[in-house]
Amino acid sequence: MKNPRAQVDERGAAASPPRWRAALLRRIALTIALKLALLTALYLLFFSPSHRPPIDAGAVDRLLLQAR
């Protein structure tokens, strides 16, 4: 009697993964891709170099000397 879950070849390895495993792998890959896209969007919107103020040695000197 054949196994309905997966076909097995001569070596005993599964010829194709079960349907639930393929669906799970697809869902995991989609979730990781979505998270990477969201992290990239957050970086570009809030943390990219274009959002950083320019800092020079004179400005740092003025701010530190005021604190003393």
Side-chain angles (χ1 to χ4, degrees):
M1 180 182 270
K2 291 187 178 182
N3 187 355
R5 291 185 185 164
Q7 297 294 326
V8 178
D9 63 6
E10 303 84 40
R11 298 175 311 206
S16 64
R19 293 186 87 148
W20 65 268
R21 183 173 287 178
L24 179 63
L25 289 175
R26 191 177 319 114
R27 188 170 183 174
I28 289 172
L30 181 64
T31 302
I32 290 172
L34 182 63
K35 285 184 176 187
L36 285 174
L38 288 174
L39 284 172
T40 302
L42 285 173
Y43 173 77
L44 292 174
L45 290 173
F46 298 107
F47 299 104
S48 65
S50 65
H51 295 289
R52 296 179 188 148
I55 299 174
D56 60 343
V60 173
D61 249 358
R62 285 190 301 275
L63 287 172
L64 290 178
L65 290 176
Q66 285 179 353
R68 290 185 186 179

